[in-house]
Amino acid sequence: MTDNVVPLFKDPTTGTYTLPGDTPEAASPAAVPAPEAVRRVRVWRRSARGLRAVVTHERTRSAVRLVARHGMYVLGGTRVTARRTWEGRTASRYERMIRAAEAGGNFEEAKEWEDRLTRYRAARHHRRMDLLKAPQDAVKSAGYAFGLTAGGLLMLGIVLAIAAKDPSWILAPLATVITAIHWIVMVGTVVWGPAVTVGPWLALLALWGVGRKQQMAPQWTLPAKQRDSVGAPITPSIVVTALRDLGISPLRKAINEMGDAGAQMLGPIRIAGCGVEVDVTLPSGVSTEEVQGRRRKLAENLARHQHEVFITIPVAARTIRLWIADSGALDEPIGPSPLVLDKTVTANYKTGKAVWGQDLRGDAATLSLYQRMLLITGKSNQGKTAALRALALWAAFDTSIEFRIADLKGVGDWGMFDGGLATTLIQGPTDAHVIKATEMVEGLVAEMDRRIQAPAGTVFTPLIGIVDEAQVAFMCPAIDDDKRPYGGSKATSRYFMAVRKIHNQGRAVDVLLWEGTQDPTDQNLPKLVREGAHTRISLVLGTESQARMALGDNAVDGGAAPHQLRLGLDKGTVVVASDGITIPAGQTSITVRTHYIDTDQATEVAARAKALRAGITTTPTADPGEQRDPLADILAVLGTETRVITQDVLKRLAALNQDSYGKWTFIDLKRALDGTGAEPYKSEGRMTLARERVARVVASRTPDGSTSAAE
């Protein structure tokens, strides 16, 4: 009996067959298959099991990965070669660079690439014109070459004939050349067949080599050992090998000549947050800039992505500091903000620091806001407003701070500051909103001038103006009645000059300005404005030139690289250049992953801050020329507070209407209340207004507007 035959048992009484283990009672002639059918079922089952074992075997998987990997090398190499050929023969590369420069707002670079494109097209046109004349020139050249060659050979034959005294030597050189041509043709005929056969395979091999060098195969096709090496722990040998293979000849040569294979270049590898940190002392002849310029290649040599390796310059000379993240660690969220989690959070503008996020080492990153102008910039939809708003929310828990906010996006991102946190809130992107925002900033200037002229020793409460999407203000084409533009970057621009004045003197009297803007350029963020900020922050940007505009040359030269952050993937990740945040010694900037506070959470945080601030009323900027009622306005700015010092009343009146009250002094306020019974009085050593008295005066006024003191 063969292996494929199933033994059956025959019941002598019924004559039926049963399988092993079946009982005679369970078997019936209709239910028991015939022996031949059972054999076929067993054969099919064994074949299916064998096929599945073959398909799922590790050798089969390895073979499939091998075929797929090398096939993708060929396809990828073909794609790379085709792209290089196309860009080399057409103007596509220049056009692509022009589009990238224009998208990044770098019009000077775009103009430079456009000039290169013009020169390329002119040279290409010249070459094409030469090709049209090439056949005629080729015929002439061939005729000249043939005549000169034949004449030269005849002259050589004549000389040989004279020397040998034999006329047959005259044609000997021609005969020799003809014989050589004959042999060349014969050899070409023999070689042509194999060349035609081997040539395509050589081309395929070349394409395979290009694809393999560019690592065009997907991750799943790699061998198991190579796949496991991705994200492997960083060791000294891995770091040295990565540096050796950077393509810097002096560095490779120095490492090969070191007795310890380059280990003496490395400091200790330290655990730093979600990665490791190591200092590398470069050998003589290798500059830090050369290594910084090969960040991408260094990351790939370390089996990391580019965004997982950061290169900074510490204090020591000819030294770079590498921070290498654990594979995939930077793609994990950092968790909610303490402002959301801690219901008892407090803030101190002068001595405290805003809880904001984490640095790359996983330590808390806090930022001091005390007497610092602030600028934050980056591409649209990368978390700029959320990062700026988080700082303002923390500051809102210090009740001494007054906010005046202009949101020139106007989609409600700052709506939670309405009704108790901001004394002025402008929301909208139109020219009319820019005009109001400009008047708001000019109101800050007026308050700054008033404080500067106050008696020595006067203590002022912090006043912070915030303009989000400030590029809308700089690009505004509106012109006032005196022909002065609101936007622009010239001395005639109202917004530009107001910002400059605050940057120049506002810090001394705690009048500050925070601005947020997109894609910095000289048009939407003038140089004098961006350099006036003490704290400069950047999210992802498109080019290095934009990074220099956002953070300054010193920060970028020291390793700051917001232009190398990943668009869409590194939302909320910022590069900060400021003395208000702890930066490792020798570095000029620090990268921070900010806590994200969404609009609902921001509203809840703002509600807790409002509970600490009683009686503050948010008002938009009034229309110019509107007739004001001083008594009604004074009552409005007093809010629900029982008593308010006159200094705060003047500030709130100026925020309510800059044109009417921006230049008011204590004398003006006293004059408006003289004879009403609600005049300012001294309480605890400070001049104060009582809300009850002012309300009684307003309520007792007659229709003609006169008042009588009611006892």
Side-chain angles (χ1 to χ4, degrees):
M1 182 178 295
T2 64
D3 292 340
N4 293 332
V5 177
V6 180
L8 300 177
F9 298 93
K10 181 178 181 181
D11 189 340
T13 59
T14 62
T16 61
Y17 292 89
T18 61
L19 293 171
D22 289 346
T23 60
E25 293 77 10
S28 65
V32 178
E36 185 62 28
V38 173
R39 285 197 297 269
R40 285 198 298 269
V41 170
R42 291 297 299 272
V43 169
W44 277 107
R45 287 180 178 176
R46 288 193 174 187
S47 300
R49 292 194 191 101
L51 181 61
R52 184 173 62 182
V54 171
V55 171
T56 59
H57 196 277
E58 182 58 32
R59 291 183 180 178
T60 305
R61 294 181 179 180
S62 299
V64 171
R65 285 197 297 266
L66 179 68
V67 173
R69 180 168 69 254
H70 292 285
M72 292 303 297
Y73 283 159
V74 175
L75 293 177
T78 303
R79 186 167 63 253
V80 171
T81 304
R83 186 176 65 250
R84 291 175 179 174
T85 303
W86 176 257
E87 291 186 348
R89 303 295 298 177
T90 66
S92 61
R93 182 168 69 99
Y94 299 93
E95 294 171 351
R96 174 164 52 84
M97 297 303 294
I98 291 173
R99 289 194 299 270
E102 289 178 344
N106 194 340
F107 299 107
E108 293 180 1
E109 183 178 350
K111 186 177 182 302
E112 180 182 348
W113 278 106
E114 188 174 358
D115 293 340
R116 293 183 184 181
L117 175 59
T118 302
R119 293 194 296 270
Y120 168 79
R121 285 175 172 168
R124 183 178 61 182
H125 177 74
H126 184 71
R127 290 194 300 270
R128 288 176 176 175
M129 292 299 100
D130 290 342
L131 286 176
L132 295 177
K133 299 188 299 181
Q136 181 180 354
D137 294 340
V139 171
K140 290 182 179 180
S141 299
Y144 292 149
F146 178 78
L148 290 173
T149 303
L153 292 174
L154 286 174
M155 291 297 297
L156 179 61
I158 292 172
V159 171
L160 292 175
I162 293 173
K165 298 179 180 180
D166 184 358
S168 63
W169 280 89
I170 295 176
L171 299 177
L174 285 174
T176 302
V177 171
I178 292 172
T179 302
I181 293 174
H182 172 70
W183 280 104
I184 291 173
V185 172
M186 290 184 62
V187 171
T189 304
V190 173
V191 173
W192 178 254
V196 171
T197 303
V198 176
W201 294 101
L202 293 177
L204 198 64
L205 182 62
L207 295 175
W208 174 86
V210 173
R212 183 174 181 273
K213 184 176 181 180
Q214 296 293 326
Q215 291 295 316
M216 301 302 291
Q219 186 71 19
W220 65 270
T221 64
L222 298 178
K225 182 178 180 181
Q226 187 173 349
R227 292 199 308 273
D228 294 341
S229 67
V230 176
I234 299 299
T235 63
S237 62
I238 290 177
V239 176
V240 172
T241 302
L243 293 168
R244 184 197 65 194
D245 296 340
L246 273 183
I248 303 174
S249 179
L251 181 59
R252 169 182 282 274
K253 184 177 179 181
I255 292 175
N256 291 335
E257 291 176 353
M258 290 180 183
D260 56 0
Q264 60 182 293
M265 296 193 309
L266 305 183
I269 297 180
R270 306 176 294 272
I271 296 177
C274 56
V276 296
E277 186 179 72
V278 59
D279 287 349
V280 181
T281 302
L282 301 175
S284 178
V286 182
S287 68
T288 56
E289 292 182 358
E290 290 180 287
V291 179
Q292 281 183 305
R294 289 171 168 80
R295 177 186 168 195
R296 183 184 185 89
K297 188 171 185 179
L298 177 62
E300 292 174 349
N301 291 347
L302 292 168
R304 296 293 191 273
H305 295 291
Q306 182 178 3
H307 71 277
E308 294 175 330
V309 175
F310 287 82
I311 305 174
T312 54
I313 310 298
V315 178
R318 214 175 64 243
T319 302
I320 59 172
R321 178 168 294 163
L322 303 180
W323 185 84
I324 308 162
D326 298 335
S327 185
L330 295 183
D331 296 326
E332 298 294 330
I334 63 172
S337 168
L339 292 176
V340 176
L341 298 178
D342 187 1
K343 307 299 182 182
T344 62
V345 66
T346 59
N348 188 302
Y349 162 75
K350 187 174 182 179
T351 61
K353 290 188 174 183
V355 289
W356 201 30
Q358 294 179 0
D359 62 17
L360 296 179
R361 294 161 181 78
D363 299 328
T366 57
L367 180 66
S368 173
L369 307 176
Y370 179 61
Q371 292 187 343
R372 289 178 175 87
M373 308 292 174
L374 185 146
L375 170 66
I376 182 169
T377 185
K379 284 188 171 295
S380 176
N381 194 33
Q382 298 304 304
K384 169 177 56 62
T385 297
L388 180 60
R389 187 177 64 190
L391 295 175
L393 286 171
W394 177 85
F397 285 93
D398 186 332
T399 57
S400 67
I401 297 177
E402 177 189 351
F403 291 101
R404 301 182 188 179
I405 301 174
D407 175 16
L408 298 182
K409 184 190 298 180
V411 295
D413 289 337
W414 294 87
M416 67 289 302
F417 281 78
D418 190 7
L421 291 186
T423 54
T424 299
L425 180 60
I426 302 165
Q427 300 183 88
T430 66
D431 290 349
H433 293 97
V434 172
I435 292 173
K436 291 183 178 181
T438 302
E439 293 171 348
M440 182 195 80
V441 178
E442 290 174 339
L444 297 176
V445 175
E447 173 63 17
M448 177 189 72
D449 292 340
R450 188 189 68 80
R451 293 184 178 191
I452 291 174
Q453 297 171 17
T458 305
V459 178
F460 304 107
T461 56
L463 173 58
I464 299 178
I466 301 175
V467 181
D468 197 8
E469 306 297 341
Q471 76 278 357
V472 178
F474 284 112
M475 303 296 286
C476 178
I479 299 175
D480 65 11
D481 295 337
D482 296 329
K483 306 300 182 183
R484 291 186 60 193
Y486 286 90
S489 57
K490 296 182 179 179
T492 55
S493 168
R494 290 181 58 176
Y495 182 80
F496 171 75
M497 290 307 297
V499 171
R500 288 294 300 138
K501 289 177 181 177
I502 295 174
H503 281 178
N504 289 337
Q505 296 179 293
R507 179 182 182 186
V509 290
D510 268 329
V511 176
L512 306 177
L513 182 64
W514 298 355
E515 290 183 289
T517 183
Q518 295 181 14
D519 288 345
T521 66
D522 287 328
Q523 289 73 34
N524 63 29
L525 189 61
K527 180 179 180 181
L528 292 177
V529 173
R530 60 181 185 254
E531 291 185 349
H534 305 101
T535 296
R536 299 171 72 170
I537 306 167
S538 178
L539 292 97
V540 58
L541 291 172
T543 63
E544 181 179 328
S545 62
Q546 288 183 321
R548 293 183 180 276
M549 290 182 183
L551 300 176
D553 292 336
N554 186 45
V556 175
D557 291 338
H563 54 289
Q564 292 182 352
L565 296 174
R566 300 169 297 168
L567 183 66
L569 297 178
D570 289 325
K571 284 187 176 182
T573 299
V574 299
V575 182
V576 185
S578 172
D579 61 350
I581 192 170
T582 302
I583 298 178
Q587 297 180 201
T588 56
S589 65
I590 187 171
T591 301
V592 175
R593 303 172 69 197
T594 61
H595 295 292
Y596 176 62
I597 304 176
D598 62 32
T599 302
D600 292 338
Q601 292 173 334
T603 302
E604 188 272 331
V605 173
R608 287 192 274 118
K610 289 176 183 178
L612 303 176
R613 295 167 170 252
I616 295 181
T617 303
T618 302
T619 58
T621 303
D623 294 333
E626 181 182 352
Q627 296 297 321
R628 308 299 306 182
D629 182 349
L631 288 176
D633 287 343
I634 291 172
L635 179 61
V637 299
L638 290 175
T640 59
E641 294 181 77
T642 304
R643 295 180 301 172
V644 179
I645 60 176
T646 56
Q647 180 180 332
D648 288 344
V649 174
L650 289 172
K651 287 194 304 182
R652 296 179 187 181
L653 285 172
L656 177 64
N657 188 285
Q658 178 62 31
D659 290 339
S660 300
Y661 305 118
K663 297 181 180 180
W664 267 34
T665 64
F666 174 75
I667 299 300
D668 298 310
L669 179 62
K670 184 176 182 299
R671 186 181 297 117
L673 295 171
D674 277 346
T676 64
E679 295 87 347
Y681 65 96
K682 184 171 288 189
S683 174
E684 298 179 356
R686 307 186 73 175
M687 297 305 295
T688 307
L689 285 183
R691 184 187 184 282
E692 181 182 358
R693 296 183 183 181
V694 177
R696 189 166 61 238
V697 171
V698 173
S700 65
R701 288 191 298 183
T702 60
D704 61 0
S706 62
T707 61
S708 60
E711 298 298 335

